[in-house]
Amino acid sequence: MERVQESSAGQVENDEESSTSESEYQHALEVVFDEDNAKRRKSSLVSSENPQLAQQTAKKRESTSCFVHQLLENQRRSRRSQSTIIHNEDRLCDKTPDMHNQAVHSRLLTKRQLSEMAVNVRELSKKLGSIRLKLKVKTIFLLTKAHDSDLIGLTRDITEWLLSKERDTLYTIYVENTLEHNRVFDVQGLISKDPSHEGRLKYWNNELCKKQPHLFDFAITLGGDGTLLYASWLFQRIVPPVLSFALGSLGFLTKFDYADYQDTLTTAFKDGITVSLRLRFEATIMRTQTARDDRMHDLVEELIGVEAENNLTHKPDGSYTILNDIVVDRGPNPTMSSTELFMDEKFMTSVQADGVCVATPTGSTAYNLAAGGSLCHPENPVILVTAICAHTLSFRPVILPDTVVLRVGVPYDARTSSWASFDGRERVELHPGDYVTISASRYPFANVMPQGSSSEDWIGSISRTLNWNSRQKQKSFKEWDEQTMEGMSGRSKQ
């Protein structure tokens, strides 16, 4: 195991990588991509973001780069020099948005850009699997189940330990704002033990996580897989490395025992961490601009046909970054839903079912599993599509590459609306003519892993939690030999 160590000058030294300044690995993970032509439908090219804010975000990219950013930047620059001629030849000047000055959604990327982004993530994931990142952690984000009194007590214990002056670093700890007046957490009791805790114990809310994700150097969760999913939901873009203590039911994603939290955190901060990059999806709701009662329109024609100039058929209405799955189902309707699937610019199929589950490899053991989908190792760069109770004998789950843009839409002639949910949250109604775009997000989820093989850990997880392929072993045959024959012969004579 190769280790990345911190030098006295505050830099990271690696035998194979060039020295990187301390500021380059102080923040979380974001994938960047080359500028290229955008050959997507115009309705998918509409951006709901403030252009000035987008430009500011692009300008800040280099100043907020982490160690991971630096690796990606080196790869991006080397590829840019090799592909400049091709990019210039393929550019469609009259239809290409200025991606350099905009915070572009992954649904707006071309096939080449999505492929390049995916390759960068895979190469980076391999590097991170063989090194230990030693981060200078100063600000820690703590997340727990705010309604569970037992977990609140454990959160108080770990907070008090981190705030102690016995630590090598005086950490600043952020806990959920609902704990400020919680009697079990007892903020006043913590401060009375050491008045210095007051200035280093702070509180986060959803807005802070959304607007200032770079504020946190490290995240710790206490709970189960649902708590980790909530952390992913809070950090819709930039995500600090997340270390999870298993205090839930199953624990596919929570790898550390809380009983050993002191040793675990001491080792993580002193010797470094191993990070697994988990693929996340970006999902955008696209609303039809056609009259609801106009059933003469065809969603297939709108999504694969050619639009007239300045006549956009759809506009975006909110984007979400998810770690597990997007589900489009019938919702409260008593009848099955009708949906249509599109892959890039091609129509795939129509689905008559209770719904459709589109899962990441991480989410393959969740709703996807219950719907009959495949189990998938989290390092596979794929999109899993599974119908929920399909009213057909021939529909089978399909696995698509993460370089495609998938669309799940409700046809104009559907009898009822459908409903979309994102990691089990934000239930949204999809009217006839609306659809959801799903693509690989350029903001992967950095999950801190124990030392060892991730493949062995994953197999152990599904065996332990799901009793995967658990069966009583078949008995072996007892071979006949001469002594056995003689014994049988003697008993027959008697």
Side-chain angles (χ1 to χ4, degrees):
M1 175 76 63
E2 180 186 355
R3 180 182 297 177
V4 178
Q5 293 185 333
E6 182 186 342
S7 69
S8 58
Q11 293 182 332
V12 175
E13 296 180 348
N14 192 320
D15 293 337
E16 296 182 359
E17 301 293 339
S18 60
S19 296
T20 307
S21 64
E22 175 184 313
S23 63
E24 289 171 343
Y25 62 95
Q26 282 304 296
H27 304 295
L29 309 181
E30 174 188 1
V31 178
V32 296
F33 49 85
D34 271 339
E35 180 182 359
D36 195 5
N37 64 302
K39 199 174 181 181
R40 295 287 180 209
R41 285 187 52 80
K42 291 183 179 179
S43 58
S44 295
L45 292 176
V46 179
S47 176
S48 60
E49 296 183 353
N50 186 323
Q52 294 182 351
L53 179 61
Q55 292 180 12
Q56 294 174 3
T57 302
K59 291 179 180 179
K60 290 181 179 179
R61 179 174 296 156
E62 291 191 4
S63 63
T64 58
S65 290
C66 64
F67 177 72
V68 177
H69 285 156
Q70 187 65 24
L71 295 176
L72 285 170
E73 184 67 15
N74 292 339
Q75 295 173 2
R76 185 183 68 85
R77 288 174 180 173
S78 64
R79 286 197 176 90
R80 173 183 290 180
S81 61
Q82 300 173 5
S83 58
T84 301
I85 298 177
I86 299 177
H87 288 182
N88 291 336
E89 290 178 352
D90 290 347
R91 181 175 303 282
L92 300 177
C93 298
D94 57 334
K95 295 184 178 181
T96 302
D98 186 358
M99 293 189 175
H100 181 70
N101 292 325
Q102 295 185 19
V104 182
H105 291 284
S106 63
R107 62 184 168 85
L108 307 181
L109 304 184
T110 64
K111 189 76 172 179
R112 180 185 293 117
Q113 289 173 328
L114 280 173
S115 298
E116 180 178 322
M117 183 183 72
V119 170
N120 285 347
V121 172
R122 292 166 200 164
E123 292 181 359
L124 176 61
S125 183
K126 291 180 180 178
K127 290 183 179 180
L128 293 180
S130 60
I131 64 176
R132 301 180 74 174
L133 296 179
K134 187 177 180 183
L135 310 178
K136 287 194 66 174
V137 177
K138 295 181 179 179
T139 305
I140 300 175
F141 173 90
L142 272 181
L143 175 63
T144 189
K145 296 179 181 178
H147 59 274
D148 191 318
S149 60
D150 291 338
L151 292 185
I152 292 175
L154 297 179
T155 304
R156 187 186 190 279
D157 293 340
I158 195 172
T159 301
E160 184 176 8
W161 183 82
L162 288 169
L163 289 173
S164 174
K165 291 183 178 180
E166 296 179 1
R167 307 284 78 76
D168 296 335
T169 302
L170 295 179
Y171 300 112
T172 299
I173 310 300
Y174 278 82
V175 298
E176 192 171 358
N177 57 356
T178 57
L179 299 181
E180 184 175 3
H181 304 291
N182 187 282
R183 288 182 296 177
V184 177
F185 192 75
D186 189 17
V187 172
Q188 296 303 320
L190 283 173
I191 296 175
S192 63
K193 291 184 179 180
D194 189 341
S196 68
H197 291 176
E198 185 173 8
R200 295 188 291 122
L201 179 59
K202 300 184 179 182
Y203 308 95
W204 60 262
N205 54 29
N206 293 11
E207 197 69 14
L208 182 66
C209 297
K210 178 181 179 180
K211 293 185 176 181
Q212 301 185 52
H214 290 99
L215 181 64
F216 310 109
D217 301 320
F218 199 76
I220 300 172
T221 68
L222 285 76
D225 292 337
T227 307
L228 189 68
L229 289 174
Y230 185 45
S232 173
W233 183 260
L234 289 172
F235 296 99
Q236 283 289 290
R237 293 197 174 184
I238 301 297
V239 187
V242 180
L243 187 150
S244 302
F245 289 106
L247 293 167
S249 301
L250 291 179
F252 286 107
L253 302 173
T254 53
K255 304 298 184 181
F256 296 91
D257 188 356
Y258 179 83
D260 302 323
Y261 78 85
Q262 296 184 11
D263 293 337
T264 299
L265 294 177
T266 299
T267 301
F269 297 152
K270 182 179 180 180
D271 299 333
I273 58 174
T274 299
V275 173
S276 170
L277 291 184
R278 296 296 183 105
L279 172 67
R280 296 203 294 176
F281 289 163
E282 177 191 281
T284 303
I285 300 171
M286 303 295 290
R287 298 292 187 187
T288 180
Q289 301 301 296
T290 306
R292 301 286 184 192
D293 57 352
D294 189 351
R295 293 178 176 265
M296 297 299 293
H297 282 264
D298 184 1
L299 185 63
V300 176
E301 178 61 28
E302 285 188 349
L303 293 191
I304 66 176
V306 178
E307 286 181 322
E309 189 71 23
N310 298 323
N311 184 21
L312 302 178
T313 60
H314 294 78
K315 288 187 178 181
D317 185 28
S319 294
Y320 308 94
T321 303
I322 62 95
L323 180 60
N324 249 12
D325 50 43
I326 297 107
V327 176
V328 178
D329 58 30
R330 62 188 179 120
N333 299 316
T335 59
M336 64 182 176
S337 65
S338 176
T339 54
E340 294 177 334
L341 303 183
F342 303 83
M343 184 178 67
D344 289 334
E345 304 301 319
K346 297 181 179 180
F347 173 71
M348 284 182 61
T349 187
S350 297
V351 181
Q352 307 292 321
D354 277 353
V356 176
C357 176
V358 182
T360 66
T362 298
S364 68
T365 53
Y367 201 167
N368 172 79
L369 170 66
S374 301
L375 293 177
C376 183
H377 193 282
E379 292 182 2
N380 285 323
V382 295
I383 300 174
L384 296 94
V385 182
T386 304
I388 304 169
C389 297
H391 196 250
T392 175
L393 297 176
S394 58
F395 191 99
R396 290 294 181 267
V398 294
I399 300 177
L400 305 175
D402 64 347
T403 56
V404 304
V405 175
L406 187 69
R407 292 172 174 84
V408 182
V410 182
Y412 283 99
D413 59 356
R415 293 184 177 182
T416 61
S417 300
S418 292
W419 293 75
S421 61
F422 310 89
D423 273 350
R425 298 178 179 273
E426 203 67 30
R427 195 87 161 142
V428 178
E429 184 175 8
L430 299 178
H431 301 281
D434 297 340
Y435 68 92
V436 179
T437 67
I438 303 167
S439 57
S441 171
R442 60 192 181 97
Y443 300 97
F445 187 85
N447 193 29
V448 178
M449 301 292 292
Q451 301 300 318
S453 171
S454 60
S455 296
E456 294 176 0
D457 180 76
W458 183 73
I459 294 296
S461 294
I462 62 174
S463 299
R464 181 184 70 256
T465 58
L466 299 175
N467 292 322
W468 174 70
N469 199 30
S470 178
R471 182 189 183 278
Q472 185 175 354
K473 188 175 181 180
Q474 190 176 34
K475 293 181 179 180
S476 61
F477 289 119
K478 186 175 182 180
E479 298 292 340
W480 290 84
D481 53 27
E482 294 182 359
Q483 294 182 353
T484 304
M485 292 292 293
E486 292 177 357
M488 292 291 293
S489 177
R491 285 197 294 271
S492 63
K493 291 180 179 179
Q494 294 177 357

